Amino acid sequence: MPEKEGVTMEAEHTISVLVKNRPRVLARVSGLFARRGFNIDSLAVSTTENEAISRMTVASATDEATLKQICKQVSKLHDVVAVIDHSAHEVIERELCLCKVGVDRSQRAEVIQLCEIFRGDVVDIGNGSMTIQLIGDKSKVDAFVRLMSDYSIKELVRSGKIVLERGAQEE
C-alpha cells in the first residue's frame, strides 16, 4: 500500500540490542520503550556466545523515523553494547510455540497429521489433550495456531521472534 502524503506507514521492525549481562538491563531497555510510548510486539532475551553479553530481540510496529529514534535512544543506555536494525538485512527468523489442544482419541491422528505438515512435534499426550511444539517464522506459527483453533486450545505460549542475519552480507 503506498504512503499517503504526510502520513507515515507503520511496519513491524526487528532490532537486536546487545547488552552487558547484568541485572536490571532488561528493565531499563523495556522501560525506555514504555516511557516513550513505543509498544513491544515481541521480546526475546538470552545470552550469546559470550556469556558476558546478552542479545535482546525486540519487534515493534512503527515507522522508519520512530525506529531510528528508538535505536538512538536505546544505544545511549548504560550497559548497551550495540543496537542492530535488521530492516535492511536478510535474516533467519524463528519463533517457538507450545500449544496444548483438547482432543479425544478419535482426533489424535488428525492432529498428528497436521503437526507433520507443519513439521511440528507432539511433545506430550494426556487424557484429552496433546501438546505440540512448533518452530518457524511468525507466519508459519500464526497459520498453525489458526488451524489448531478448530480444536479446543487449552494453553498457548510463544517465545517471541529471534533473528540472526544470514551469512555474509554486503554492508
Side-chain angles (χ1 to χ4, degrees):
M1 183 179 339
E3 284 190 28
K4 295 179 182 173
E5 192 172 325
V7 176
T8 56
M9 301 300 286
E10 288 191 354
E12 183 173 271
H13 296 279
T14 304
I15 62 172
S16 290
V17 183
L18 300 177
V19 297
K20 293 178 184 171
N21 195 3
R22 295 187 180 155
R24 294 183 295 281
V25 174
L26 173 60
R28 280 195 290 278
V29 173
S30 61
L32 181 141
F33 276 77
R35 283 190 308 278
R36 303 291 191 256
F38 304 139
N39 187 46
I40 295 175
D41 296 322
S42 172
L43 173 66
V45 184
S46 183
T47 56
T48 64
E49 67 284 355
N50 177 348
E51 291 180 16
I53 303 292
S54 288
R55 176 185 293 263
M56 300 174 66
T57 305
V58 183
S60 183
T62 186
D63 59 72
E64 288 290 329
T66 303
L67 177 69
K68 287 180 180 171
Q69 181 184 10
I70 290 170
C71 291
K72 277 184 195 174
Q73 291 176 351
V74 169
S75 67
K76 292 177 185 177
L77 291 175
H78 185 65
D79 293 328
V80 171
V81 176
V83 177
I84 305 161
D85 172 10
H86 296 289
S87 299
H89 304 114
E90 288 190 41
V91 295
I92 300 165
E93 172 190 326
R94 293 293 183 267
E95 183 174 338
L96 169 66
C97 175
L98 292 175
C99 181
K100 184 187 290 184
V101 292
V103 294
D104 56 38
R105 289 178 191 243
S106 66
Q107 296 172 308
R108 285 182 183 170
E110 188 177 328
V111 171
I112 289 170
Q113 188 176 22
L114 287 171
C115 289
E116 288 173 358
I117 291 168
F118 279 84
R119 295 188 181 137
D121 296 308
V122 175
V123 293
D124 186 56
I125 296 179
N127 286 335
S129 72
M130 295 175 73
T131 302
I132 299 119
Q133 167 187 286
L134 183 76
I135 299 169
D137 62 21
K138 183 181 184 314
S139 63
K140 177 181 176 179
V141 175
D142 288 345
F144 181 75
V145 170
R146 278 193 303 276
L147 280 175
M148 288 297 107
S149 66
D150 290 344
Y151 303 90
S152 174
I153 296 178
K154 302 293 184 188
E155 291 182 83
L156 178 81
V157 64
R158 295 171 73 158
S159 65
K161 176 191 327 192
I162 57 172
V163 299
L164 284 178
E165 292 181 7
R166 289 195 171 273
Q169 297 184 39
E170 291 183 23
E171 292 296 317

